Amino acid sequence: MADQPERMQEAGDEAALRSAPVPAGWDEAVRLEEDPGTVPDPAEVEVPAELRQRIEERMAMYPDRHSAALPALAAAQELHGWCSPQALRQVAAVMQVTPAYLSSLATFYDMLRTEPVGRRYVYVCTSVACHLVGAKAVYDALEEQAREQGLKGVELREFECLGACDMAPMASIDGRYVGPLSEDDAEEVVAAMRESRTALPGRGLTDADFRLPWDERPGGESGAPPSHPDVSPSGGTVKDRDEEGLGQ
């Protein structure tokens, strides 16, 4: 299995190669000769008070403390910037689980980062609905602008699905769903990230004045028929859709 990515590349299957690397050791055999993982002694692990409070609050919400693992890891990632060995040990000490258990979650869910790749992020959805309307071109434009503008401390990557097909192509910018996007938006998005300001105000799903570009109703105001997504099987781009009047 170790040479599988290389074989895929030789076969020309670009879709098999993702911008995010697979977790270290993913293809290694289990090391049965090593000592079993142990639960850290809370007295021996220094945990920031704010992180401890957030983890304990999440644990109190569930009958089984293991159910709080994902929000606890998210809180640790927010504090440390990534799920570092130190972060995992701190969470494990509060939750009284092994760091190995938390590591198995952190390496499975790709919203959790196991490498220091930047505290801020732009995840461009390139799954089916977004791909059909030019998401890869949007990602390529963002990548080019990131290089030209010297963007640092921001993780830019493709994401399999963000569950917002009605605003395709879209991206999650620090958790804020923004879209529909076009290649023309790339320069402004990257500039906003560099300057630590909100990217494309009014284009975020949680923005008070958000509306789809082909929707004349501000903020979902009643009195007009609801918008319907473009279902053209041939795909295209948002720009093409607007010019042809398909979104009206």
Side-chain angles (χ1 to χ4, degrees), residues 130-192:
C130 287
H131 179 73
L132 291 175
V133 286
K136 189 61 168 65
V138 172
Y139 172 80
D140 290 343
L142 286 166
E143 190 175 43
E144 180 180 355
Q145 282 296 319
R147 286 195 301 267
E148 291 184 1
Q149 298 188 38
L151 185 64
K152 303 294 184 182
V154 176
E155 180 189 14
L156 172 63
R157 55 163 292 194
E158 297 180 46
F159 203 91
E160 181 58 29
C161 183
L162 289 164
C165 305
D166 58 333
M167 56 193 301
M170 54 81 61
S172 174
I173 302 178
D174 291 335
R176 175 172 166 262
Y177 278 22
V178 182
L181 295 171
S182 72
E183 298 168 63
D184 296 336
D185 296 319
E187 182 177 358
E188 168 57 21
V189 169
V190 172

Side-chain angles (χ1 to χ4, degrees), residues 45-111:
V45 181
E46 183 177 350
V47 183
E50 180 183 354
L51 178 59
R52 179 185 296 277
Q53 179 182 353
R54 293 184 63 181
I55 295 174
E56 290 176 345
E57 288 175 351
R58 299 303 186 277
M59 290 172 61
M61 298 172 63
Y62 303 97
D64 184 340
R65 68 182 186 282
H66 292 81
S67 300
L70 289 180
L73 287 170
Q77 178 171 272
E78 184 177 335
L79 175 65
H80 292 279
W82 62 296
C83 290
S84 64
Q86 179 190 14
L88 294 179
R89 186 168 174 78
Q90 289 175 352
V91 175
V94 178
M95 293 191 64
Q96 285 297 278
V97 297
T98 65
Y101 168 72
L102 297 174
S103 178
S104 70
L105 297 176
T107 55
F108 181 83
Y109 292 98
D110 56 8
M111 74 281 288

Side-chain angles (χ1 to χ4, degrees), residues 208-212 215-224 227:
D209 55 345
F210 170 77
R211 60 177 176 177
L212 295 171
D215 190 346
E216 297 180 355
R217 299 168 299 141
E221 186 178 287
S222 60
S227 296

